[in-house]
Amino acid sequence: MSNLAVLEGVLERITYANEENGYTVARVDTGRGAGDLLTVVGSLLGAQPGESLRMEGRWGSHPQYGKQFTVENYTTVLPATIQGIRRYLGSGLIKGIGPRIADRIVEHFGTDTLDIIEQEPKRLVEVPGLGPKRTKLIGAAWEEQKAIKEVMVFLQGVGVSTSIAVRIYKKYEDASISVVKNQPYRLAADVWGIGFLTADRIAQAVGIPHDSPERVKAGLQYALSQSTDQGHCFLPEEQLIADSVKLLQVDTGLVIDCLGELVAEEGVVREAVPGPRDGAERVNAVYLVPFHRAELSLAAQVLRLLRTGEDRMPGFQDVDWDKALSWLATRTGAELAPEQQQAVRLALTSKVAVLTGGPGCGKSFTVRSVVELARAKKAKVVLAAPTGRAAKRLAELTGADASTVHRLLELKPGGDAAYDKDRPLDADLVVVDEASMLDLLLANKLVKAVAPGAHLLMVGDVDQLPSVGAGEVLRDLLAEGGPVPRVRLTRIFRQAQQSGVVTNAHRINSGVPPLTQGLSDFFHFVEEETEDAGRLTVDVAARRIPAKFGLDPRRDVQVLAPMHRGPAGAGNLNGLLQQAITPARPDLPEKRFGGRVFRVGDKVTQIRNNYEKGKNGVFNGTVGVVTSLDLDEQRLVVLTDEDEEVPYDFDELDELAHAYAVTIHRSQGSEYPAVVIPVTTGAWMMLQRNLLYTAVTRARKLVVLVGSRKAIGQAVRTVSAGRRFTALAHRLSGGVLV
């Protein structure tokens, strides 16, 4: 390796960094003066602007960028000049020191600055404006940075990106190197953002054999966890084996043996359940343990509630319904339709009931009526929904408090709920809106917390997309021949018939293309090319709708894309919408993280469940706005839909994504005054009826489709064939295999 050239310089700025593989393009100041910066490319994991680097690599030339240096490996050298030290400290590397404080410290200690922080951090108190509290923080951050650096250097050798290295360090601290060396597959289970593939790469780098049983078992569990991300609660054994052989590139026999060992060790559960087609044939279902447990428990709890002899609202068993309903009509100012009356009676007399139906069919009014009657009998009513927005809407509708399911159950760090079977909710009636969004794990936690004798009413539109998480809980509860009483509202009310949004939603749901001519609230801008459709979508959302309808492009307009990738995908549209709605300004602080830039005013969404954040955790899909961004403290604050201020340290920013555009899947349970939906042939594989129906039903006042007629036709025609693998309906109907 002696033919490698050596280059020393200060890292000025990172122009591009790929979080996945660590490939970086950066500019370094080699000290030649005249502001002459040189381009370096390669893996610069962990290097921060302001650091002095000693890089080994090769010189080359790029047709567009000229002379550049390709880095093979590097070490950081602490800067020696005053200017270097100032830049190093001001780079945001050490929490609590931003550019202003860096200037003060360096002014005071000069070239001794770094030695002082290293050996006598207490002396930082001498710097004007630095109290003992901040001094202590800086000392601790410096120590942590040194420890992280050591882990970084090791992880750099095995190809792990910076943000993941920081997370590994936070999880295992001093044990980091030992875990990575000896149990790399633990990382996939323990550290968010490390899947099996990254862990596998690390395992290979530390010398774990390709066919080791440890690798195969980790691969099997990874294949199952991938399938839960796709919405499945289990995989049929044959499919799991085939997927794992493909993933691991090992012998089928080895995978079968390792699966047997994994079952014996209770790492997974194998159980015979009815096959997906009419349950005619059996399949051996393989579950990850938490999903098997949750499915058994949810079915048992629903049956327990249905069968209990207790009743916390006994007054409704022998009520005079004609009298009750006419009293209700005077309260609400409107008569209930016959099917709504049936739903109201069902909710108040059955221990578990489901109310479903499309937009404009009066689900909301029915729920309000149930709540009014229950409160008239002094019942304790608790209202919840899976998202902050849906909970707010439920509260406005009923005039009673409503919360997210997470807050209702008071989920604690780690995900355990304060309310469960042993400590149930003090409620006689629990109403859950937007129930199509409830996944298996959350539904199980919720139903467990309903007291015996209390009534549970689930309300939702079963024709929408199923939950983001695993399961199809609402559909399984409504399965034919199941034990749960239900009412489906089908009649569209007269005032709703005037709405293009409502009538077109029903047209789409019944397989008929939407009408896009002559309506004041439903438009289609035809654009055949996917890239042009992407650009037009941005123009419509950021400029045309605000100009014509006076809506706020950030608060009132939501772009909903069928997929994340591609020119008309949520990822690309977010970048374009951010430029249009929250552009860079010299006076606006911003933070670049990976390929994204965060600014005050940005609309953002949380992309993982984090039980440690906020009062009761912050959950996948929570939306908010960045209200402050502090470069000294290295944190930004998001005001969420639930009016909670949640701080994020800069190293946690991979939990946030921009939300000017979101995928239709992520928009479930939310409503917006206006939605803009790019429907292009570029998203061909995703175009399905329930996807377009879900997108259209998110709009309260206005829908604009942008794209080709052909793509819209494809979406309307295509009924999703892919049912999820779940055995909840089987367990609810007695769960006995004949």
Side-chain angles (χ1 to χ4, degrees):
M1 295 297 274
S2 55
N3 59 352
L4 288 183
V6 173
L7 175 71
E8 293 198 355
V10 175
L11 181 60
E12 276 294 323
R13 64 174 180 271
I14 290 173
T15 48
Y16 170 78
N18 182 324
E19 283 293 311
E20 294 298 307
N21 57 19
Y23 178 79
T24 305
V25 179
R27 305 278 281 161
V28 296
D29 182 350
T30 53
R32 287 202 302 261
D36 201 8
L37 297 183
L38 182 79
T39 299
V40 298
V41 300
S43 180
L44 284 172
L45 291 171
Q48 299 279 356
E51 289 187 310
S52 298
L53 307 180
R54 184 174 188 280
M55 295 161 282
E56 292 185 324
R58 302 172 199 285
W59 289 100
S61 156
H62 185 280
Q64 199 178 340
Y65 305 114
K67 191 176 179 188
Q68 63 180 33
F69 189 77
T70 301
V71 182
E72 300 269 328
N73 53 61
Y74 78 92
T75 49
T76 47
V77 188
L78 288 178
T81 65
I82 293 265
Q83 185 48 33
I85 291 170
R86 180 178 284 128
R87 201 188 288 112
Y88 177 67
L89 282 183
S91 68
L93 183 72
I94 307 299
K95 208 168 177 179
I97 305 185
R100 290 197 314 278
I101 290 175
D103 286 348
R104 275 193 239 150
I105 297 175
V106 176
E107 214 163 282
H108 193 82
F109 293 117
T111 48
D112 296 337
T113 297
L114 300 180
D115 292 337
I116 300 272
I117 297 179
E118 167 81 39
Q119 280 144 22
E120 309 174 75
K122 287 196 175 77
R123 283 191 57 196
L124 288 169
V125 197
E126 298 170 19
V127 177
L130 277 194
K133 194 172 161 196
R134 162 108 11 135
T135 298
K136 208 169 155 189
L137 275 175
I138 292 171
W142 178 268
E143 285 303 314
E144 183 180 32
Q145 192 52 43
K146 263 181 21 195
I148 288 180
K149 267 280 176 287
E150 208 181 307
V151 174
M152 286 284 188
V153 171
F154 171 73
L155 292 173
Q156 195 188 329
V158 294
V160 176
S161 78
T162 324
S163 60
I164 286 185
V166 169
R167 256 200 246 117
I168 291 174
Y169 178 77
K170 280 193 158 172
K171 178 78 185 169
Y172 305 114
E173 293 179 343
D174 297 344
S176 297
I177 291 175
S178 144
V179 170
V180 170
K181 266 187 184 159
N182 304 316
Q183 303 167 281
Y185 291 107
R186 254 183 78 186
L187 302 173
D190 291 355
V191 182
W192 182 75
I194 298 191
F196 172 80
L197 302 177
T198 307
D200 201 30
R201 214 172 53 232
I202 296 170
Q204 204 177 343
V206 298
I208 287 178
H210 188 69
D211 59 357
S212 89
E214 184 194 356
R215 175 174 184 264
V216 177
K217 287 178 196 170
L220 281 159
Q221 286 180 312
Y222 171 70
L224 281 175
S225 87
Q226 283 292 91
S227 76
T228 64
D229 288 347
Q230 247 83 72
H232 299 300
C233 300
F234 67 80
L235 276 183
E237 185 174 24
E238 285 173 22
Q239 191 173 327
L240 172 62
I241 291 167
D243 289 356
S244 303
V245 168
K246 198 161 138 196
L247 168 77
L248 299 163
Q249 299 289 302
V250 294
D251 227 26
T252 308
L254 178 62
V255 172
I256 292 171
D257 291 347
C258 288
L259 178 56
E261 283 177 37
L262 208 49
V263 171
E265 294 160 8
E266 297 181 1
V268 296
V269 177
R270 183 163 50 190
E271 183 193 348
V273 301
R277 278 182 297 283
D278 308 325
E281 78 281 19
R282 297 177 186 200
V283 295
N284 271 337
V286 184
Y287 288 84
L288 288 172
V289 175
F291 292 90
H292 185 256
R293 221 176 259 155
E295 202 175 78
L296 282 176
S297 159
L298 176 56
Q301 303 299 336
V302 168
L303 294 172
R304 172 183 68 99
L305 290 176
L306 280 170
R307 290 169 182 165
T308 178
E310 296 171 54
D311 191 348
R312 291 182 56 151
M313 296 202 296
F316 287 104
Q317 294 307 332
D318 47 11
V319 86
D320 179 339
W321 283 104
D322 290 340
K323 203 163 142 194
L325 292 169
S326 62
W327 172 85
L328 184 65
T330 57
R331 286 278 301 194
T332 59
E335 295 273 339
L336 287 170
E339 53 185 19
Q340 289 178 307
Q341 292 182 12
Q342 189 196 342
V344 168
R345 291 173 66 159
L346 200 62
L348 296 169
T349 56
S350 296
K351 306 292 169 46
V352 183
V354 176
L355 171 62
T356 188
C361 293
K363 285 199 305 291
S364 300
F365 187 64
T366 308
V367 169
R368 188 183 146 195
S369 304
V370 169
V371 172
E372 288 276 0
L373 280 171
R375 283 152 107 200
K377 289 269 193 192
K378 304 283 184 285
K380 283 184 183 159
V381 181
V382 165
L383 305 170
T387 64
R389 280 187 178 222
K392 263 188 181 162
R393 205 176 59 237
L394 188 58
E396 286 160 15
L397 168 78
T398 54
D401 284 346
S403 70
T404 62
V405 176
H406 302 101
R407 272 177 198 258
L408 173 67
L409 300 178
E410 289 176 22
L411 291 189
K412 300 195 288 278
D416 288 332
Y419 292 95
D420 57 20
K421 200 173 168 187
D422 302 323
R423 185 193 172 199
L425 294 163
D426 181 19
D428 305 320
L429 171 65
V430 179
V431 179
V432 187
D433 200 7
E434 294 290 353
S436 62
M437 289 186 70
L438 284 180
D439 62 35
L440 174 66
L441 299 182
L442 187 58
N444 177 44
K445 289 190 170 99
L446 171 70
V447 176
K448 241 193 245 181
V450 178
H455 293 226
L456 171 64
L457 174 63
M458 304 264 223
V459 184
D461 184 346
V462 77
D463 294 323
Q464 283 180 33
L465 289 166
S467 55
V468 175
E472 293 191 292
V473 174
L474 187 64
R475 191 172 286 178
D476 286 342
L477 288 171
L478 288 167
E480 232 174 290
V484 179
R486 77 285 309 266
V487 170
R488 182 175 191 130
L489 302 178
T490 53
R491 187 185 135 198
I492 306 173
F493 282 88
R494 198 168 56 246
Q495 62 271 35
Q497 289 170 6
Q498 332 284 268
S499 154
V501 176
V502 170
T503 49
N504 275 334
H506 285 279
R507 284 176 72 92
I508 291 165
N509 199 28
S510 53
V512 182
L515 296 169
T516 55
Q517 300 292 313
L519 294 170
S520 60
D521 62 350
F522 202 105
F523 301 89
H524 176 201
F525 290 149
V526 178
E527 196 63 81
E528 294 301 327
E529 293 303 318
T530 300
E531 282 188 28
D532 296 339
R535 279 194 290 273
L536 181 55
T537 297
V538 172
D539 192 45
V540 166
R543 284 179 277 277
R544 296 194 194 190
I545 290 177
K548 185 171 167 61
F549 295 96
L551 295 172
D552 179 318
R554 191 182 288 120
R555 197 186 53 236
D556 301 329
V557 183
Q558 183 63 54
V559 172
L560 301 180
M563 55 200 280
H564 185 74
R565 294 206 172 103
N572 186 47
L573 294 178
N574 261 319
L576 297 172
L577 285 159
Q578 184 190 33
Q579 281 169 28
I581 296 169
T582 317
R585 292 203 320 258
D587 59 329
L588 195 64
E590 59 177 48
K591 169 65 183 168
R592 181 173 289 281
F593 186 92
R596 299 198 283 268
V597 178
F598 290 95
R599 301 188 182 113
V600 171
D602 267 341
K603 184 172 175 179
V604 292
T605 178
Q606 170 81 10
I607 56 174
R608 66 173 285 226
N609 287 345
N610 186 336
Y611 295 100
E612 318 294 325
K613 275 207 156 314
K615 247 188 15 217
N616 298 115
V618 179
F619 296 89
N620 186 350
T622 300
V623 175
V625 173
V626 178
T627 51
S628 72
L629 198 150
D630 187 327
L631 296 172
D632 281 2
E633 293 298 332
Q634 292 183 57
R635 70 169 33 165
L636 55 77
V637 175
V638 173
L639 179 66
T640 71
D641 268 352
E642 295 175 57
D643 299 324
E644 184 180 8
E645 290 200 320
V646 181
Y648 287 80
D649 290 342
F650 284 172
D651 60 11
E652 299 175 306
L653 291 183
D654 50 358
E655 297 195 11
L656 283 181
H658 290 98
Y660 299 101
V662 296
T663 61
I664 296 168
H665 278 90
R666 294 189 69 80
S667 72
Q668 287 168 254
S670 293
E671 262 195 357
Y672 316 93
V675 302
V676 185
I677 311 163
V679 188
T680 64
T681 49
W684 197 253
M685 296 305 292
M686 295 295 292
L687 297 177
Q688 291 176 348
R689 187 180 298 170
N690 61 354
L691 191 82
L692 186 57
Y693 175 71
T694 299
V696 168
T697 53
R698 300 307 87 218
R700 275 207 297 278
K701 298 182 185 149
L702 175 68
V703 171
V704 181
L705 303 178
V706 180
S708 70
R709 288 198 175 86
K710 186 178 174 189
I712 292 169
Q714 167 73 1
V716 170
R717 276 193 309 276
T718 310
V719 178
S720 161
R723 284 297 301 271
R724 296 178 166 191
F725 290 119
T726 132
L728 179 61
H730 158 67
R731 297 182 199 285
L732 283 167
S733 57
V736 184
L737 278 174
V738 281

